[in-house]
Structure formats: C-alpha cells, structure tokens
Amino acid sequence: MKGGGVSSTYPLPPSKRRWRGLAVAVFGLVVLSMLVPLVFLLGIHNGFQSTGFGSEDRSSTPSHKKYENYDPVEQDVPQIQSEVDKSTHLDNLMERLKPNLPKDVITIANDAANKTVRNDPLQVTVKQKTDSSPVQKEVPKPPPQENQIGMSQVTEHDKGATSDETGKPCQLEFGSYCLWRKEHKEAMKDRVVKQMKDDLFVARAYYPSIAKLPSHDKMSRELKQNIQEFEKILSESTTDADLPSHMEKRLQRMEAIIRKVKSVILDCNNVDKKLRQILDLTEDEAHFHMSQSAFLYQLAVQTMPKSLHCLSMRLTVEYFKSQSLDMDISSDKYVNPLLQHYVIFSNNILASSVVINSTVMHAKESGKQVFHVVTSGQNYYAIKLWFFRNSYKEATIQVIKIEDFNQEHDVANPGHQSLSNEYRVSVHRVSKPQITQMDTNYISVFGETHFLLPQFFPDLKRVVVLGDDIVVKEDLSPLWSINMEGKVIGASYFCSLKLGQLKSYLGEEDFDEGSCSWMSGLNFVDLVKWKERNITQKYHRLLQVVKQRTKVTSVNGVALPAILLTFEGLVHPLEASWLLSGLGQSFKVEAQAIEKAAVLHYNGLMKPWLELGIPQYKAYWKKFLVRDDLFMSQCNVNP
C-alpha cells in the first residue's frame, strides 16, 4: 500500500531478515576490531605510567615531582605536563609499533589523542599563559644551586650555557673537558663519515652469521657488497668533503640491508663476539687518546710557546747586532745594602717583566728598588736587551748570567741547575681519611740555584726572592721592616703538607712531624743568618741523605724533602694576606680573596702566559704586560 508518509506493515521475507542480522554482526565485528587494539594500547600506556617502566617515564615523572612546590601560583602546571607526557609517550609508542599495526588503527589512535588535547580546557589555559610557547616548556625551572658547579658565584657568561650533551652543568674544575669543549666548539666536519663507520661496524658484526645461512645467500651477498663499498670509501675519506656524491643514498641502502639482517633469526653468540671485539678495540683506542692527551698537556705546559720563542730569538739576534750599545753598565746600587733588593730566578722574558712592572707600579719609592734577574746563558742576551729597551719607573735592573757567575766564583757547575722547583703533591684528606679521594696541590720551593744566594750577593744583608709566576698588587716595602726573630726566611705556610707525611723520605733525622711546609713565590731572606747557620752546606748534606735512603739519583726527585728539612724551624710565617696561591691550578679561588691579597701566585701548570691559563685570572697578569715593544707585535705575542 502506497501512501504519503505511511510505512508498510508487511513483514520482511525471511531471507532479507537473515541478511540484515548478518550485516549488523559484521558491522559490530568491524567496530570491535578497530576498538580493541586502541584499548589495548591505552592499557599498555596506563601500565607504563603506573609501574614506572620506560625511559620516557623515568625522565618525566620525577621531574614534575621535584619541581611541584617551586611556584605556588602555578601548581597545576606539573599535572598538565604529566598529561602531555602521556600523550607524547603514546605517540612515541605508536611510532615504534607503526610497521606492525594497520593504518586505520594508527589514524584512529592519533585522532583520539589529538582530540583529547584539543578539548582539554586546562590545556587552552596554559597556552594562553605562554602565548606561542609550547606546553612542554611551562615546567618551572628549579632554583639555582649555589654549589652546583663548584663556585659560590657564577658570572653571567657561565650561566645557562656551560653544560654538556646531557644537559648537566659543567664542573669548574681542573681538566674539565666540558668547559674546554664549550670554548673550542667547532662545526663537525665528519658527521657522515662517523655514521658510515658505525654502520660498517654493525654490518661486520652480522655478516659472519648471515653468511652461514644458505637460505639468505642473496642478503649475504648484498651485505658483503655494501661492506666492501664502505671500506673502499673510508680508506680514501676522512671528512665529509672527501666523500663521493650521493652518499646519503648509499647510507640509506646500507641501513636498509642492516634492518633486513636484524629481522633474521641468527646465532647471537657470533654477533656478541664480534661486537665485543669492536668494543675492546674502541676502549683501547680511547685509552690511547687519553694517554696521548695527557702527554700533550704536559708537553704544552713545559714547552715555550711559539710566540715567546720568537720573541727570545729576535731579541738575541738584535743584541748582537747592537754592539755599539753600552749594556754592561755597572751601578753602585747593585751592592748598596741600604736599598731594597729583589731577586728573580727566571728564563721567561714576559714573566720577569710582569713581576718587575707590577712591583714598581705599586711602589711608593721605586727609586729605592733594585731587581736582580738571574737567568741561564741561553736566555741571558734576550732578557738583557729587553730590560735595556724598556724602563720601569726609577727602578734599577741587573741581569746575571749564572754560567759566568759559576766560572767567576769557582762554583761547582752540575749538568743542570734548576732556577726553581714546583712539585705536584697528592695527599689523603685529613678530615676524611677513609675516603680514597686525595687533595692535589702544586708546591713551589727553592731550586738548586737559590742556595747560591749568599755567594751571589756577598755585600747584601737581606733580599726578597720573587717567583716569576706572581703578580704584585700592593707596595712591598713593609716587608723590609718585618722582625725575623732570628729566622732565616719568611714564607707563607702550606699546612696541607706536613713533614710527618714525608717521614719515609727523611729517614732518622730529628724534626717536628707537625711542621708545615712552606711556599716560595714571595720570600724574605736574611743572608746574615743564612751564613751563620750554613744553610747551603746543610742542604747538600741532607740531599745526599735522602738520595741514599730512596736510591733516587735525580736531584729534583729528592730535592723537596731535603729543602723542607733544611729550613725546618727556620721559617718565619708571613701573614696570609701577603700571598695567595693556587691561581695556576684551581678554578675555585674566590674573588674576595684575590682582592685582599698583596701578591697573586700562579703556582700550578696553568700559567697565565700559556693558552691553558685560567681565563678569569689572566686579566690580573696581562694588566702589567709591556705591549708597545716592536718585537711583541712582530712575534704576535698576545697571551
């Protein structure tokens, strides 16, 4: 019956009813087949979040717990971040499982996740707070830690930028690779070459195993062909610029065959052995480079920089070309005991120049100052011409050649006479002896030549010995009014090393085990008391005692205990404000201590005239450089 809007009341035929029921069942199965994988995936995701498995969860969950009380105004942000992390984790999981899932399931899952984020009202609120910034960056940063990088104060240059690849802050300590890498960062020129080497290692690891399977002969030949191709290219290329064209396609082809090989069930023992061989080779190579870097570091600090060598050579040549100049002017001031006499043992032109310049610049009466620079014959002419060309207010400067002095005064001249000695000493921490960590310090003491002081200056009563690695910041004239109380030398004590810790070297000699060692760099010497106590003879006697006890033939190897024992009980301690040491070894010297010190001592390997010098301390030294000399510019001297 046909009528407008009237439905038919006739029942459907049985065949059509069966068809409709079957269609409904099929449609239900299709819907379930689409929803079950999605529910399964969401179930895995929730399980990860609750149990704490997975690298993403380990990195995200603790972070919002750590910072949740940092800013009370935005306490809802960590919770939002957790929801975002869940979505990000789901996306990452879907990406990993993508090849094994139907495309429609992936599309539905992604749409559902995106819809959840778009419909979240809190998500919109956060976006309004941050304008165009992504939500992931709304997690508040933790408050700065004062001791996080080993210093109580951090400059603006260091904030936020000194970190390594993992995001951890760089440690401002000796030998910090993180800091060195940041300062010397260069564009990587062999990124593709390194990737090729990595792929070649993996291919070589799998090839022996896949070659044993006859059923995968084609795959084996393809892998072998790629290995041979990569070996040939790498034998001729060290940087990306050396690689042939279309290298990216070859990389993709290699990685594709590696993925195919990984999908084959192989004997893991063979692969494991090959990878362990590669690991051993890599560790050996790393150990070699570490040893090489340590050697090169020692070479760098013990070798004169090219610019300083150029300066010395140019000055030496100029000295012999300028024979008409009267440079051997003798002065009565050299032997006048009423003046202030300073002695510097040095082979370094710039170092000795900075010491003298910084001293006279802070002197109230520079005309009373006489400087005696004792140097070797190799550097004598260059240093002599330098001080002839450059004036230092009204101070008088004498340059002494040690070889001429030994010949003139019939002094025994051994094969090597050190001008100064510096020792690297590592001792266990006294406060925590159970900990294996040790404190390492560089102790500067007198060298072999220092024990000739009474013979160098027989007419003088007192001298001040200055190291060539110091910078003077105040007037030193008050040193001459110090009451020595019968002591031989005045020095700064260094109580981190005591004589008791050197007992095995000192033998049965009578000494106070609690006596502190002392530092050179700034020393006031009473030459009269020196002669009365026969210090030079005492030193040589103790040197032989230590040699016999330790069976060491090197003078420098046994000099430290002999020198400390020679002056045991004969050292007048200077106030701590006179000398501040450690600027050549530690990044942790406080700025306040530097401002209070009268003399800065760059003891350690990182001297200020080297590229390895600590940058924040170099300014104090460079301030007193003489820069207007012609040879400085010609040799490009710019420490």
Side-chain angles (χ1 to χ4, degrees), residues 461-496:
K461 297 180 179 180
R462 288 186 174 186
V463 295
V464 171
V465 180
L466 302 176
D468 65 350
D469 55 352
I470 68 167
V471 170
V472 179
K473 295 172 68 264
E474 295 182 8
D475 181 27
L476 297 183
S477 57
L479 285 172
W480 301 92
S481 60
I482 292 178
N483 183 7
M484 297 284 287
E485 299 178 351
K487 306 296 184 181
V488 176
I489 63 172
S492 295
Y493 272 149
F494 179 73
C495 290
S496 295

Side-chain angles (χ1 to χ4, degrees), residues 341-481:
H341 293 265
Y342 298 90
V343 182
I344 304 171
F345 294 87
S346 177
N347 287 325
N348 192 316
I349 299 172
L350 292 187
S352 55
S353 174
V354 167
V355 174
I356 296 176
N357 196 26
S358 62
T359 304
V360 300
M361 291 295 291
H362 294 95
K364 295 180 180 179
E365 296 179 285
S366 61
K368 292 184 177 181
Q369 294 180 327
V370 181
F371 293 90
H372 307 271
V373 181
V374 183
T375 186
S376 63
Q378 183 179 2
N379 302 278
Y380 170 75
Y381 303 103
I383 293 179
K384 191 170 184 65
L385 179 61
W386 174 270
F387 288 113
F388 181 84
R389 291 167 56 91
N390 299 279
S391 59
Y392 298 83
K393 285 192 173 182
E394 300 176 2
T396 303
I397 302 175
Q398 178 191 20
V399 181
I400 301 174
K401 183 180 178 182
I402 182 121
E403 287 83 358
D404 291 347
F405 173 84
N406 291 339
Q407 185 177 1
E408 180 181 351
H409 293 80
D410 194 22
V411 176
N413 185 18
H416 171 71
Q417 280 191 326
S418 60
L419 298 180
S420 61
N421 283 333
E422 192 170 76
Y423 295 88
R424 181 177 182 268
V425 179
S426 298
V427 295
H428 289 281
R429 293 183 177 178
V430 179
S431 58
K432 299 179 180 179
Q434 71 278 10
I435 299 179
T436 58
Q437 188 173 2
M438 305 179 73
D439 289 328
T440 300
N441 292 279
Y442 289 85
I443 300 179
S444 300
V445 293
F446 286 170
E448 185 79 8
T449 314
H450 284 74
F451 290 91
L452 299 176
L453 279 172
Q455 295 170 281
F456 275 121
F457 312 105
D459 299 323
L460 302 181
K461 297 180 179 180
R462 288 186 174 186
V463 295
V464 171
V465 180
L466 302 176
D468 65 350
D469 55 352
I470 68 167
V471 170
V472 179
K473 295 172 68 264
E474 295 182 8
D475 181 27
L476 297 183
S477 57
L479 285 172
W480 301 92
S481 60

Side-chain angles (χ1 to χ4, degrees), residues 341-343 444-446 450 453 461-467 470 476 478-494 516-530 533 535 563-564 566-576 578-579 581 599 601:
H341 293 265
Y342 298 90
V343 182
S444 300
V445 293
F446 286 170
H450 284 74
L453 279 172
K461 297 180 179 180
R462 288 186 174 186
V463 295
V464 171
V465 180
L466 302 176
I470 68 167
L476 297 183
L479 285 172
W480 301 92
S481 60
I482 292 178
N483 183 7
M484 297 284 287
E485 299 178 351
K487 306 296 184 181
V488 176
I489 63 172
S492 295
Y493 272 149
F494 179 73
C516 297
S517 59
W518 51 274
M519 296 281 285
S520 63
L522 177 67
N523 302 105
F524 194 74
V525 180
D526 189 332
L527 294 177
V528 177
K529 295 295 182 183
W530 185 299
R533 296 181 177 271
I535 295 299
I563 292 172
L564 295 179
T566 298
F567 293 100
E568 197 266 330
L570 301 176
V571 180
H572 177 77
L574 296 178
E575 294 182 5
W578 272 112
L579 182 70
S581 301
V599 177
H601 190 197

Side-chain angles (χ1 to χ4, degrees), residues 292-305 610 612:
Q292 185 184 54
S293 64
F295 170 76
L296 293 177
Y297 183 87
Q298 293 290 334
L299 187 65
V301 300
Q302 295 177 9
T303 305
M304 180 183 295
L610 300 175
L612 296 172

